[in-house]
Amino acid sequence: MWTTAKQQMHGHQHPRTTGTASTRHQLIFRSKTHGDGRCAGLVTRASSTDAQSGGEKKKKQPPSQMLVYVPPHPLVKHWMGVMRSVDTPTPVFRSAAAELGRILLYEMLREWMPTLEAQVQTPTGSTADATFVDPTRPIVCVPVLRAGTVLLDQAQTLLPASITYHVGYVRNEENLEASCYLNKLPEKIDPNALCIVSDMMLATGGTMVQVIKDMVARGADPSNIRVLSALAAPPALQKLNDAFPGLVVYTGMIDAEVDDKGYIIPGVGDAGDRAFGTL
């Protein structure tokens, strides 16, 4: 049993049992609203008592639960609606996914990106306090081919100094196991680097777990890794939470089910095929 909090502005709990016949998950949706109006989802193996307390007592301890952010932004909902529609053509689908990725990336960087405080002189001759992005902190982007590249289409615009390393995984349609066919990760990853891993779908979670394990083996600090996805489902979130309890995930939506073929339901279909016109 695990609990998750979906991005809802009201603090009501909505227990639901969802999933396929072979795998069912008890979901409890709970709101955790920050002062700026954002909400954070919690995925944890906490007991019922811990779940009711919202994990507040564990804040000062090592991370024991995964955070899942679903920004309550109308544009997130809009682009998700465009992507879901079967009538959306490939160019529009790809554009919608890129816009969704840009919004999620903005949200991810809001409190995560390191900054420096300084003073500057303005054209009026006055002095003003200024905040700048710290250029000494490396930022690494790791899109999972194919569809993960679409979510990071805007990364070079938002993060011009970032470094991109591509990885490619293909899933066996019979056993749903993922195998790597391309790995451009460096031999060593700076443990101080901020790492953004993107994949369009977090369905079963096998691919993302493998990618993060590989990055950690090369030196990446798990606490400096963030996951970016358009859609997520309970099996993937559970698997990621088991492997990396302190992980932080930003996603456009959490769908309730994964079918026997490994597709998220209701989902958006095969995101890679739809984004690249290979249906």
Side-chain angles (χ1 to χ4, degrees), residues 2-274:
W2 56 277
T3 62
T4 182
K6 194 174 182 180
Q7 298 288 345
Q8 296 178 347
M9 298 309 294
H10 303 288
H12 303 295
Q13 296 183 16
H14 305 279
R16 311 191 323 194
T17 301
T18 59
T20 61
S22 58
T23 306
R24 292 187 178 274
H25 302 271
Q26 180 73 21
L27 306 187
I28 300 178
F29 295 122
R30 179 180 295 106
S31 174
K32 180 180 177 64
T33 305
H34 295 278
D36 58 3
R38 293 178 304 116
C39 298
L42 304 180
V43 181
T44 175
R45 280 191 175 276
S47 64
S48 298
T49 302
D50 291 334
Q52 292 173 1
S53 67
E56 296 296 333
K57 296 181 179 179
K58 296 184 178 181
K59 283 186 176 180
K60 296 183 180 180
Q61 299 178 4
S64 60
Q65 56 190 8
M66 185 171 70
L67 292 175
V68 180
Y69 288 87
V70 183
H73 197 295
L75 286 177
V76 170
K77 298 176 182 178
H78 170 79
W79 294 122
M80 281 302 312
V82 173
M83 292 172 64
R84 285 194 191 279
S85 175
V86 69
D87 296 321
T88 299
T90 290
V92 179
F93 181 92
R94 184 183 177 93
S95 177
E99 287 298 318
L100 176 63
R102 182 165 64 96
I103 297 169
L104 293 175
L105 194 55
Y106 270 127
E107 291 294 322
M108 178 185 292
L109 297 172
R110 182 201 294 258
E111 296 176 354
W112 189 43
M113 179 172 281
T115 58
L116 298 174
E117 302 301 320
Q119 287 191 327
V120 297
Q121 187 172 3
T122 73
T124 65
S126 303
T127 300
D129 294 332
T131 301
F132 297 98
V133 173
D134 185 353
T136 66
R137 191 76 180 271
I139 299 178
V140 172
C141 295
V142 182
V144 180
L145 301 178
R146 293 178 296 172
T149 60
V150 180
L151 288 177
L152 289 180
D153 267 356
Q154 305 294 328
Q156 288 301 317
T157 301
L158 299 178
L159 305 169
S162 63
I163 303 172
T164 300
Y165 301 108
H166 293 88
V167 295
Y169 280 78
V170 61
R171 189 170 65 179
N172 186 305
E173 298 301 329
E174 295 183 1
N175 58 22
L176 303 184
E177 294 294 327
S179 58
C180 181
Y181 65 86
L182 177 72
N183 191 331
K184 291 296 184 178
L185 292 174
E187 292 185 7
K188 298 292 183 181
I189 297 178
D190 186 344
N192 194 45
L194 302 180
C195 301
I196 303 169
V197 189
S198 69
D199 198 1
M200 191 77 78
M201 304 287 108
L202 295 178
T204 61
T207 297
M208 187 58 66
V209 167
Q210 288 189 46
V211 172
I212 296 177
K213 283 184 175 179
D214 193 7
M215 293 174 64
V216 171
R218 295 167 188 258
D221 184 343
S223 66
N224 288 332
I225 297 176
R226 298 288 185 271
V227 174
L228 182 69
S229 75
L231 272 173
L237 296 178
Q238 183 65 71
K239 186 172 291 186
L240 284 168
N241 182 64
D242 291 343
F244 306 100
L247 192 65
V248 178
V249 176
Y250 282 76
T251 186
M253 191 72 68
I254 300 175
D255 276 356
E257 299 182 33
V258 174
D259 66 15
D260 294 334
K261 295 181 179 180
Y263 283 95
I264 296 177
I265 303 297
V268 299
D270 191 312
D273 284 342
R274 295 190 68 192

